[in-house]
Amino acid sequence: MRRLCTFAVLLFLAASIPAFANVFATVHGVVHDPQHRPVAGADITLQASDSEFILHAKTSLEGEFDLPQAPIGVYRLTVAATGFATVTAPLTIASGTNPLVHILLDVASATQTVVVEGLETSLSATDSATPTTLITRDMIDQTPGADRTIGMEMITDYVPGAYMTHDMLHMRGGHQTSWLIDGIAIPNTKIASNVGPQIDPKDIDAIETQRGSYASDVGDRTYGVFNVLPSNGFERNRDGELMVTAGNRSAGEAQLSLGDHSAATAWYTSLTGGRSNYGLATPVANIHHDATNSESGFLSLIRNQTPKDQLRLNAQYREDYFQVPYDPSLTDWEALSNYYKSYGLRDGQTERDAFILANWVHTLSPRALFSFAPFYHRNQADYDSPANDRPAATTWRQGSNYVGGQGDVHFDAGLNNFSGGFYTFYQAENDLFGVIDNTTSPSTVYGPNSGAAAAALVEGYLSDHLRLGQYVTLLGGMRFSSFHAGLNESATYPRIGATVEIPRLRWVLRGFYGHFFQPAPLETVSQSVLNYASSLPAGENTFTPIPSERDEERQFGIQIPVKGWVLDVDTVKNRVNNFLDHSNLGESNMYFPIAVDGALVRAWEMTLRSPQLAHLGQFHLTYSNQIAEQRGNIIGGFTCTSATDPACDLGFKYTPVDHDQRETLNTGFTANLPAHTWFATNVYYGSGFSNGLACSDPSTCPNNGPYADPYLPVHTTFDASAGHALGERWKVAVNVVNVTNHRVLEDNSVTIGGFHWNDPRLFSAELKYRFHF
C-alpha cells in the first residue's frame, strides 16, 4: 500500500511540471506490430533505475502514448500487450526535450519478455544539438571521492574537457559555467573567488551537464551548464538518513537528511558539516597550513496548490573556510622563484554562499505552460593575511548580492515546439580592500578602503524546435541581452542547429552555429587599490572596465549506439573576443578578473558508455583533445598605463593559456557484485598543463623552476571505491583518491596558494544509516 501511494503521489506531482528549460522531459511513443499496425491499449511503464519513481500510460487507438514530465535520469521502459511479447528497454532522458520512441512488439506468448538494449541512447539526441552528460545519484555515491563537499569528481570523471587546476573547475578551455536548479540559473558573475561545487553533491539526485550548442532558452555560459535535480521527498515517507565519513588527513564529514511527502506536498532538508587537514592544492608536495572546514544546510519544497498550479522552493546556506598552504623551506625553488614566493604565509579565506529560488508553474492548457521564478543569491569571499606577511599582506573581502527572476512560456503547435521568456537580475557589489607592502622600510599601508558598484542584466529569448518527420529536427532561436555595469553593452545573437537520425542504424548527427554574450564580472576597486597599483614598477597598474565576453561557436557531433553501447563524438571551435581570465595584482593575493583581447578554443571530445555487461557493471570513458590559446593584450581589468609598455605588449600571436592541457582522459568500471556489493574504479590521465616558467637556458631565467619543456609533466592517478549494503538500513563504503600517491607539479599559475601540486592519497570510510521518524 505504501508503495502504491508513493506512485500515485509521484504521478500527481509530475502532472504540472513544465517540459522545457528545466530538469524534465516528455516522452512520446508509438507502439506497433511487425506489420507496422498500431497496438492499442498496451500498458506503458517507465520505472527509474535507482528509485521507486514510476509513470504509467496506455496507448491510444493509433498506438501512441505520452509520459508527461519525466525527470532527467536513467529508466527502464516496459511495454506489455495481450498477445505480444513484453518489451523492456533501458532509456536515458535529458531535460527540456520531447523524445520520440518507436516500439516494435513481436507476436508471441504474453509471458515472453524481450530485453532491448538499443534504446539506451539518450533519447534527447534527435531533439537537441547540445551534447549532454547525465550523472545520477548512484554514480555520485559510487564514484571515488565524488560525494565530498568540495569534490568535483562527479563532473571531472564523466564530462570530457573538464578538469581541476589552481583549485578551479575548467571546461572547454574556460571558466564561466552556470549552476541551475530545476532549470533556474543561480546568478554569479564572480571568478577565482570560490572553491567547490555550488551545491553539495550529497543533496543532488541527478545533474545534467551540458557543454555548448545551447538553445536560446538555456543561457550564455559557453563552457558548461550544470542543471541540478535536487533531492526531494518523493523517495521519503518520514524517512531520515545519517551519513558519517572519516579518513586520513584528519578528515571527516557528517550529514543528517530528512524527507517526507503527503498527497500534495513533498519536502527534503539536510544539515552537513566537515573538516580536513587538506583543502587547497599545495605549492609543494608537502602539506602545511592547509586545513578546511565546511557547514551547510539545504531545503527543497514542492507543493501542488491546484491541479494546474505547482509551487517549488529551493534554498541553501553554505560556509567554507580554507587555510592557504605555503612552502616551509627557504631553499625550495618555489620559495626562491622570482615568479612566486610562498614562504611563511598564514593566510586564510572564508567563503559564504546562500540562495533562495522559488518557482510557480501554471498549466495554461494541455499544450501550454507558464512559469515564473524569482530568486535571491548572496555570495561572499573574504581573504585575510597577517600584517607581517611578505612581500605583501592582503585584505580582500568581497560581497555580492543578486536579486532577479526568470519567466518562461512554452507551447506545442503541430510540428513546432515554441518557447519564449526572460531572465534578469540586479547585482550590488560591496568590497573591502587593503594591502600592506612589506618590501619597503617602513612598510607602506594602502587602506583598507571599501569599493562599491552595481550592475543590471535583462535578457529575453525566442526558441523553436521544428520536427520534420521522425528523423529530422531543426532548431532556431534568438537571445537578446542588455547589460549595464562598468560598460553599457547589448547583443542580439542567433543560435541555429539541426539533428538528423539515420534510419535503421539510429546514428544521430547534430550540428550547431551560434553566438553567446557572457556578462562581465562586476569589479569594484577602492582608492587604496588604485594607489597600490600605481606604485608598481611596471605592468598592470591602471584599471579599465571589463567588456563582456562574446563567443562564436561551431560544433558538429555524432552519436552511435551499438548493442547498448553509446559512443558520442563531437568537435567544437569557439572563437572568443574579450576572453575572460584572472590575474593577481602585483605581489598581493588579489586575483582580479581580466579581459584578454581574444582567444581560440578547439576541441575534439569523446564519451563511451557501455550497457550492463553480463549483469556485472558498466564501463565509461571520456576523452578530450583540446587546444586553448589567447592572443593580444589585456584590455579590461588592471591593464598597463601605456599600451606600449613592454611588460604588457603581448602582440597578436596565439599562445597557450595557463590551463591549456592537450590530452585529458578518464576511464573506469563500476562492478555490481553479489551480496549487494559494488566496486568502482577511475583512471585519470592528463598530458600536462602549459608551463609558464619554461626556460631552455637556466642562466637567462634563474629560479624559474625545474621544467624546461613548454608543458608540465604528464600525470596519471588511479582512484577506487567499494561499498556493501547491510540489510535495508545500513550501508558501508570506502573511497581512495590517488591510490598510489603519485605527486607532480600540476600547475604554476599565480593564484591562491601559488603553485599547485595534484591531490595526495585521500582515504575515507563511510557509514550510512536509514531510519524512520
Side-chain angles (χ1 to χ4, degrees):
M1 177 64 69
R2 171 182 167 186
R3 181 167 180 169
L4 292 177
C5 176
T6 300
F7 292 166
V9 170
L10 298 182
L11 185 58
F12 178 56
L13 289 172
S16 61
I17 300 171
F20 72 105
N22 56 24
V23 288
F24 300 90
T26 298
V27 179
H28 305 284
V30 177
V31 180
H32 55 85
D33 65 14
Q35 285 73 45
H36 289 275
R37 293 175 298 192
V39 177
D43 291 314
I44 311 297
T45 302
L46 188 69
Q47 169 76 55
S49 63
D50 57 358
S51 74
E52 293 184 356
F53 184 88
I54 193 169
L55 292 175
H56 291 290
K58 278 186 176 293
T59 56
S60 66
L61 293 176
E62 291 76 27
E64 299 178 354
F65 68 89
D66 288 314
L67 292 167
Q69 326 318 338
I72 60 176
V74 179
Y75 295 85
R76 301 293 294 184
L77 178 69
T78 301
V79 181
T82 302
F84 296 91
T86 298
V87 170
T88 181
L91 187 149
T92 301
I93 297 178
S95 66
T97 62
N98 296 284
L100 177 64
V101 296
H102 286 253
I103 306 296
L104 169 65
L105 296 185
D106 290 325
V107 177
S109 168
T111 60
Q112 180 180 347
T113 298
V114 178
V115 178
V116 180
E117 295 296 341
L119 285 182
E120 194 154 14
T121 302
S122 172
L123 296 182
S124 67
T126 57
D127 202 47
S128 171
T130 306
T132 63
T133 302
L134 179 67
I135 298 100
T136 64
R137 175 73 259 161
D138 278 352
M139 293 167 69
I140 295 174
D141 285 342
Q142 296 173 356
T143 301
D147 64 351
R148 295 183 301 146
T149 295
I150 61 173
M152 285 288 193
E153 286 84 356
M154 65 178 177
I155 295 172
T156 58
D157 283 10
Y158 296 102
V159 180
Y163 45 74
M164 294 292 293
T165 181
H166 45 260
D167 296 306
M168 284 185 287
L169 177 68
H170 293 73
M171 282 185 61
R172 285 196 165 185
H175 308 80
Q176 302 100 296
T177 58
S178 287
W179 288 84
L180 287 66
I181 292 187
D182 290 344
I184 312 302
I186 303 171
N188 192 358
T189 67
K190 307 298 289 185
I191 185 174
S193 62
N194 291 88
V195 177
Q198 177 74 57
I199 302 162
D200 193 306
K202 293 181 285 296
D203 291 321
I204 296 175
D205 261 5
I207 177 171
E208 181 186 66
T209 299
Q210 305 178 17
R211 54 187 199 279
S213 299
Y214 311 124
S216 58
D217 62 320
V218 173
D220 302 288
R221 294 308 195 188
T222 310
Y223 304 102
V225 170
F226 310 124
N227 200 355
V228 171
L229 178 68
S231 298
N232 52 62
F234 285 165
E235 284 304 307
R236 305 277 181 113
N237 188 3
R238 295 181 62 85
D239 290 322
E241 185 174 85
L242 176 65
M243 185 215 72
V244 179
T245 68
N248 64 336
R249 312 286 176 188
S250 300
E253 288 190 20
Q255 183 185 70
L256 175 64
S257 60
L258 304 171
D260 191 18
H261 69 263
S262 65
T265 305
W267 62 269
Y268 166 90
T269 188
S270 70
L271 292 173
T272 307
R275 60 96 53 213
S276 175
N277 282 343
Y278 177 77
L280 302 177
T282 56
V284 291
N286 294 326
I287 299 171
H288 300 275
H289 194 260
D290 198 20
T292 179
N293 60 69
S294 176
E295 303 81 37
S296 67
F298 185 84
L299 174 67
S300 171
L301 294 172
I302 301 176
R303 169 75 180 176
N304 282 283
Q305 193 66 26
T306 72
K308 291 187 176 183
D309 294 279
Q310 185 180 90
L311 305 176
R312 286 174 168 260
L313 179 72
N314 291 289
Q316 175 184 273
Y317 175 81
R318 175 170 171 171
E319 181 171 327
D320 299 273
Y321 172 74
F322 297 93
Q323 290 180 338
V324 177
Y326 64 89
D327 177 6
S329 173
L330 279 172
T331 62
D332 290 343
W333 71 268
E334 289 91 344
L336 292 172
S337 172
N338 294 323
Y339 185 71
Y340 178 77
K341 301 180 185 301
S342 62
Y343 177 77
L345 301 179
R346 294 294 189 276
D347 301 355
Q349 175 152 311
T350 302
E351 302 175 359
R352 299 180 180 90
D353 192 89
F355 63 77
I356 181 168
L357 293 85
N359 193 7
W360 167 44
V361 180
H362 178 66
T363 302
L364 299 171
S365 73
R367 290 185 172 270
L369 295 165
F370 165 79
S371 69
F372 174 66
F375 52 72
Y376 170 75
H377 181 209
R378 166 71 176 177
N379 181 264
Q380 185 175 345
D382 296 343
Y383 191 98
D384 290 289
S385 303
N388 60 351
D389 259 9
R390 295 183 63 87
T394 303
T395 298
W396 187 22
R397 301 177 183 177
Q398 310 170 67
S400 306
N401 289 278
Y402 307 82
V403 60
Q406 176 175 315
D408 301 279
V409 176
H410 167 82
F411 63 95
D412 293 328
L415 301 177
N416 298 88
N417 184 273
F418 293 107
S419 61
F422 70 90
Y423 181 80
T424 183
F425 66 76
Y426 173 81
Q427 178 184 356
E429 183 82 7
N430 291 278
D431 296 348
L432 180 70
F433 304 89
V435 178
I436 302 176
D437 186 353
N438 288 316
T439 63
T440 63
S441 182
S443 298
T444 305
V445 179
Y446 300 92
N449 298 127
S450 60
L457 173 70
V458 178
E459 293 189 307
Y461 77 90
L462 297 171
S463 181
D464 180 31
H465 287 200
L466 173 61
R467 278 191 174 276
L468 300 178
Q470 178 182 346
Y471 301 109
V472 179
T473 301
L474 302 181
L475 314 162
M478 297 287 292
R479 194 167 183 95
F480 317 94
S481 303
S482 178
F483 186 56
H484 299 271
L487 299 172
N488 294 330
E489 303 173 278
S490 62
T492 301
Y493 280 158
R495 302 180 192 176
I496 58 174
T499 65
V500 178
E501 181 178 344
I502 301 175
R504 298 183 181 273
L505 291 176
R506 298 182 60 248
W507 294 10
V508 177
L509 307 176
R510 59 180 186 270
F512 175 87
Y513 175 81
H515 287 255
F516 299 87
F517 173 85
Q518 303 199 55
L522 182 57
E523 187 172 68
T524 68
V525 293
S526 69
Q527 189 59 50
S528 61
V529 169
L530 294 175
N531 291 340
Y532 175 67
S534 64
S535 73
L536 301 176
E540 303 161 10
N541 50 19
T542 188
F543 176 75
T544 304
I546 298 177
S548 296
E549 181 172 311
R550 296 171 187 254
D551 303 80
E552 180 189 27
E553 181 186 295
R554 295 174 173 86
Q555 181 161 280
F556 175 79
I558 183 171
Q559 187 177 89
I560 302 174
V562 179
K563 296 183 178 181
W565 291 77
V566 179
L567 173 67
D568 191 286
V569 180
D570 66 73
T571 179
V572 62
K573 177 187 286 187
N574 183 19
R575 192 175 298 277
V576 184
N577 288 319
N578 312 329
F579 178 63
L580 182 64
D581 208 336
H582 52 88
S583 179
N584 67 307
L585 179 60
E587 297 289 352
S588 74
N589 268 316
M590 295 182 186
Y591 302 99
F592 283 94
I594 59 173
V596 181
D597 184 65
L600 179 64
V601 180
R602 292 163 289 170
W604 180 82
E605 301 171 337
M606 180 184 72
T607 63
L608 177 65
R609 288 194 63 82
S610 75
Q612 288 288 330
L613 300 175
H615 304 288
L616 291 178
Q618 282 187 296
F619 168 84
H620 73 87
L621 182 147
T622 66
Y623 169 76
S624 172
N625 179 289
Q626 175 184 279
I627 303 174
E629 299 174 310
Q630 66 184 32
R631 60 164 173 80
N633 297 337
I634 298 173
I635 60 173
F638 275 95
T639 60
C640 289
T641 304
S642 171
T644 59
D645 188 328
C648 294
D649 189 6
L650 304 179
F652 285 89
K653 180 181 178 181
Y654 279 104
T655 58
V657 297
D658 60 349
H659 49 260
D660 175 52
Q661 178 167 260
R662 299 301 166 93
E663 315 283 342
T664 306
L665 171 73
N666 277 279
T667 185
F669 187 81
T670 300
N672 300 314
L673 304 176
H676 305 289
T677 302
W678 54 265
F679 176 74
T681 61
N682 187 78
V683 176
Y684 162 76
Y685 166 83
S687 62
F689 293 103
S690 177
N691 180 12
L693 303 183
C695 180
S696 58
D697 183 4
S699 65
T700 62
C701 44
N703 303 323
N704 267 11
Y707 301 106
D709 295 331
Y711 284 83
L712 293 170
V714 168
H715 44 286
T716 303
T717 57
F718 172 72
D719 307 332
S721 62
H724 176 67
L726 303 169
E728 295 293 325
R729 295 185 178 273
W730 295 89
K731 291 182 180 180
V732 293
V734 293
N735 286 267
V736 186
V737 174
N738 193 0
V739 173
T740 62
N741 201 32
H742 178 60
R743 308 297 305 281
V744 297
L745 177 65
E746 187 177 52
D747 169 71
N748 57 20
S749 63
V750 185
T751 50
I752 294 176
F755 304 139
H756 306 88
W757 286 62
N758 66 318
D759 291 339
R761 181 189 297 121
L762 300 175
F763 169 84
S764 66
E766 180 178 287
L767 177 66
K768 289 184 180 179
Y769 172 63
R770 197 75 175 257
F771 60 91
H772 187 71
F773 63 90

